[in-house]
Amino acid sequence: MNLRLVPGLAFLLVLALVTAGCTQPESLSIGTPASTPVTVTTAATSSSPALPPDSATPEPTGTLPSYWSINVQAQSNGQAINPQIIITFRGGMGMNLIPRIELKVTRSDGIVETGEMDQPFSIGQSVTFAATTGYQDRAEAWAITPQGDLVKILDQYVPFRSYNS
């Protein structure tokens, strides 16, 4: 009698594993606050003179002291009709001390967009940029320290879609 249940349970287990590997959770998009400026510029000119010059590949990031540490995350929405890169503030010990975060997205078609996040920061606060469906869009973020120094905290390629992650 128990031998009849084994093939059915094995089939359900395999079905559950296949289904779990083929799905991707829906990303939570809080949206861009109305007061968040996003500036579109060409690769030749930059609207923020404080940011360093462009480079072709991501570079190493700096580290903030632990009492100023903050975390930002960049991800694609994965939608082919309206591809976007969403840079989200994820908190940190320095969220009340860092006055501003400068953001820059360099798309694979050469268009550069800049934006910023200003105090007061809230976990989940995000800025949305237009993206391409390629895998060479690059997101960068710099924290402005209380002394006014720029520290790069994020520099990575943001793929249009990420499989098996």
Side-chain angles (χ1 to χ4, degrees):
M1 179 111 137
N2 287 337
L3 293 177
R4 290 185 203 172
L5 295 177
V6 173
L9 290 175
F11 176 73
L12 287 175
L13 179 62
V14 169
L15 183 63
L17 289 174
V18 168
T19 304
C22 295
T23 60
Q24 188 170 354
E26 187 68 28
S27 63
L28 175 65
S29 177
I30 296 175
T32 304
S35 63
T36 304
V38 175
T39 307
V40 178
T41 60
T42 61
T45 62
S46 177
S47 65
S48 179
L51 297 179
D54 292 339
S55 126
T57 60
E59 299 171 344
T61 59
T63 56
L64 292 167
S66 63
Y67 47 88
W68 286 346
S69 67
I70 57 172
N71 187 8
V72 293
Q73 175 185 6
Q75 65 185 23
S76 172
N77 67 351
Q79 297 176 359
I81 295 188
N82 185 20
Q84 296 177 343
I85 293 175
I86 303 160
I87 301 179
T88 307
F89 181 77
R90 293 294 180 196
M93 290 180 62
M95 72 184 288
N96 293 324
L97 302 172
I98 299 294
R100 188 172 73 237
I101 302 171
E102 296 284 334
L103 308 169
K104 180 167 79 169
V105 169
T106 306
R107 298 181 353 194
S108 58
D109 58 5
I111 294 177
V112 176
E113 292 186 59
T114 60
E116 62 185 33
M117 291 182 188
D118 292 309
Q119 281 285 356
F121 295 121
S122 61
I123 296 174
Q125 174 182 355
S126 64
V127 178
T128 304
F129 297 92
T132 65
T133 56
Y135 291 89
Q136 296 294 315
D137 293 345
R138 180 177 168 198
E140 299 172 85
W142 289 268
I144 310 296
T145 65
Q147 284 87 18
D149 298 328
L150 284 170
V151 177
K152 186 183 280 192
I153 57 173
L154 175 75
D155 192 355
Q156 69 182 45
Y157 286 123
V158 181
F160 167 62
R161 284 199 178 130
S162 177
Y163 298 102
N164 297 328
S165 63

